């Protein structure tokens, strides 16, 4: 096996910032994780060791292969659900960043069949047409701890995600993907915002007008072009 260059300090710092931003913005708490594909070695991704995202430092970042293996010298505990990341990177060559969280406003949309999470405002056109729901019982049977703790479950989750930007995980949380770290963080934050707004709208009435396909595509293109603006604010706010 050829030894590749280690990831750049810049990428590590971006990933540390992403961890802190997601914590400060209420997407992750003591749990949840964010990864970025190592573009110098696309068969690997960077993810913190098992710890609270808000406390991650550059020295906590570990490189994993797509099977979820750390280098042999790495002895620190890994996130049990690292298979979410590896199997999505394997299934989706277009994806370069993955956020898994239990962000609270999103969870209810994963447990009902009559209110799919759909784009309710121009910041969340990426949700179009609606976020699919992963039912872990289909892959793990009726007795599981709900976690994506194996490669097989990671494969099943990636299959539910399909070509979407977000997959809801029934009774657990959600996983959001992006072509870049900043886009994935943006989408994770606005998935939570969209869920709050949609729940508010549902309280007012059930006849909601969501963004259509064209509005979703155009609003997403607009937002993708300015993703650095909120990133700078969120980074400073995260300290
Ligand atoms: Zn989880």
């Amino acid at each position: 096996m050829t030894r590749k260059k280690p990831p750049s300090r810049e990428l590590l710092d971006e990933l540390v910032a992403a961890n802190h931003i997601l914590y400060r913005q209420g997407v992750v708490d003591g749990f949840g994780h964010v990864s970025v594909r190592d573009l110098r070695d696309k068969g690997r991704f960077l993810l913190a060791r098992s710890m609270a995202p808000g406390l991650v430092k550059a020295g906590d970042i570990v490189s994993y292969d797509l099977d979820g293996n750390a280098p042999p010298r790495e002895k620190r505990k890994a996130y049990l659900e690292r298979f979410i990341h590896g199997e999505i990177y394997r299934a989706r060559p277009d994806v370069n960043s993955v956020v898994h969280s239990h962000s609270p406003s999103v969870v209810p949309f994963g447990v009902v069949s009559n209110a799919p999470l759909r784009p309710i405002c121009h910041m969340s056109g990426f949700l179009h047409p609606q976020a699919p729901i992963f039912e872990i019982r289909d892959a793990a049977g009726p007795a599981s701890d709900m976690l994506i703790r194996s490669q097989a479950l990671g494969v099943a989750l990636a299959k539910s995600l399909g070509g979407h930007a977000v997959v809801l995980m029934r009774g657990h949380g959600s996983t959001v993907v992006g072509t870049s770290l900043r886009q994935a963080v943006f989408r994770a934050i606005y998935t939570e915002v969209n869920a709050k707004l949609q729940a508010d709208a549902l309280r007012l009435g059930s006849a909601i007008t969501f963004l259509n396909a064209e509005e979703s595509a155009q609003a997403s293109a607009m937002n993708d072009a300015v993703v650095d603006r909120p990133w700078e604010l969120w980074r400073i706010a995260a300290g």
Side-chain angles (χ1 to χ4, degrees), residues 31-33 81 84 100-102 146-148 169 172-174:
F31 300 93
H33 21 88
E81 295 192 289
I84 292 172
H100 168 61
S101 82
H102 313 147
M146 309 294 286
L147 301 180
I148 306 297
M169 300 154 79
H172 178 174
S174 59

Side-chain angles (χ1 to χ4, degrees), residues 77-159:
K77 197 168 174 238
Y79 287 122
L80 272 175
E81 295 192 289
R82 61 192 180 282
F83 306 106
I84 292 172
H85 303 261
E87 294 308 326
I88 288 176
Y89 288 128
R90 196 192 313 277
R92 290 278 301 272
D94 61 309
V95 167
N96 292 315
S97 182
V98 176
V99 177
H100 168 61
S101 82
H102 313 147
S103 74
S105 305
V106 177
V107 173
F109 289 91
V111 301
V112 295
S113 56
N114 59 342
L117 189 68
R118 297 176 64 186
I120 200 163
C121 77
H122 68 116
M123 302 307 286
S124 41
F126 58 86
L127 286 169
H128 185 81
Q130 65 184 53
I133 299 174
F134 172 68
E135 173 49 78
I136 195 165
R137 287 178 197 161
D138 293 343
S144 78
D145 63 5
M146 309 294 286
L147 301 180
I148 306 297
R149 55 167 56 248
S150 70
Q151 271 188 269
L153 290 174
V155 168
L157 179 69
K159 203 172 166 198

Side-chain angles (χ1 to χ4, degrees), residues 5-209:
K5 273 183 166 178
S8 69
R9 178 68 201 208
E10 195 186 351
L11 185 58
L12 293 178
D13 288 345
E14 282 270 295
L15 186 54
V16 169
N19 275 272
H20 296 178
I21 287 169
L22 290 166
Y23 171 59
R24 289 289 179 188
Q25 296 298 317
V27 173
V28 298
D29 50 16
F31 300 93
H33 21 88
V34 50
S35 70
V36 64
R37 194 193 290 270
D38 187 349
L39 293 179
R40 296 180 185 193
D41 183 354
K42 292 186 175 181
R44 304 193 73 85
F45 63 94
L46 305 173
L47 178 71
R49 67 184 173 89
S50 180
M51 65 184 298
L55 302 177
V56 168
K57 296 187 175 70
D60 297 311
I61 307 289
V62 178
S63 169
Y64 294 93
D65 66 23
L66 299 189
D67 293 333
N69 298 311
R73 65 181 178 281
E74 177 59 52
K75 302 296 180 212
R76 295 173 295 180
K77 197 168 174 238
Y79 287 122
L80 272 175
E81 295 192 289
R82 61 192 180 282
F83 306 106
I84 292 172
H85 303 261
E87 294 308 326
I88 288 176
Y89 288 128
R90 196 192 313 277
R92 290 278 301 272
D94 61 309
V95 167
N96 292 315
S97 182
V98 176
V99 177
H100 168 61
S101 82
H102 313 147
S103 74
S105 305
V106 177
V107 173
F109 289 91
V111 301
V112 295
S113 56
N114 59 342
L117 189 68
R118 297 176 64 186
I120 200 163
C121 77
H122 68 116
M123 302 307 286
S124 41
F126 58 86
L127 286 169
H128 185 81
Q130 65 184 53
I133 299 174
F134 172 68
E135 173 49 78
I136 195 165
R137 287 178 197 161
D138 293 343
S144 78
D145 63 5
M146 309 294 286
L147 301 180
I148 306 297
R149 55 167 56 248
S150 70
Q151 271 188 269
L153 290 174
V155 168
L157 179 69
K159 203 172 166 198
S160 283
L161 172 68
H164 294 84
V166 179
V167 60
L168 310 186
M169 300 154 79
R170 196 265 307 160
H172 178 174
S174 59
T175 296
V176 179
V177 303
T179 56
S180 70
L181 180 62
R182 292 185 181 196
Q183 189 195 54
V185 167
F186 177 99
R187 287 175 169 181
I189 290 170
Y190 280 105
T191 297
E192 171 69 10
V193 169
N194 191 97
K196 273 195 194 118
L197 294 175
Q198 191 173 335
D200 285 346
L202 282 165
R203 277 190 279 276
L204 297 176
S206 56
I208 299 174
T209 302

